[in-house]
Amino acid sequence: MAKKSIEARQRKREAMVAKFAEKRTALKAAGDYQALDALPRNASPVRLKNRCQLTGRPKGYMRYFGLSRVMFREMALNGKIPGITKASW
């Protein structure tokens, strides 16, 4: 589990990226890089980190499922992810 403060910071960044998305694209299209520099740092989508939706774990993230490898394995073994079965040959 990630700390609640880290998860809150991530949610705050996501909200700020969404808020300034249109303005960023317009400024980029216009080539106004000074105005882009004046935007808040957390408005940049590069500052977002992929995290597990259940635990907030930043490492071992599987983008297709939105989960960390640990939670993916646990849920797959419990049959909570449709179409995923443990390989045996």
Side-chain angles (χ1 to χ4, degrees):
M1 283 299 273
K3 290 170 43 175
K4 296 298 177 190
S5 60
I6 302 295
E7 291 178 7
R9 190 183 313 159
Q10 177 74 3
R11 285 192 300 273
K12 185 177 176 183
R13 282 185 182 137
E14 289 170 356
M16 191 165 288
V17 166
K19 178 180 177 182
F20 286 98
E22 288 184 27
K23 191 171 187 178
R24 284 186 67 82
T25 54
L27 291 173
K28 275 189 176 183
D32 190 0
Y33 297 109
Q34 285 185 337
L36 268 174
D37 286 343
L39 292 178
R41 284 186 178 181
N42 286 336
S44 174
V46 174
R47 293 175 70 94
L48 293 177
K49 177 78 175 151
N50 289 331
R51 291 184 172 271
C52 176
Q53 293 175 356
L54 300 177
T55 61
R57 180 183 168 91
K59 296 182 179 180
Y61 178 80
M62 300 175 83
R63 187 178 299 217
Y64 186 79
F65 298 99
L67 300 171
S68 67
R69 61 179 176 79
V70 178
M71 292 307 298
F72 173 78
R73 183 170 192 268
E74 186 177 310
M75 291 179 73
L77 290 176
N78 291 334
K80 294 182 179 176
I81 302 176
I84 304 295
T85 57
K86 189 171 187 222
S88 60
W89 58 92

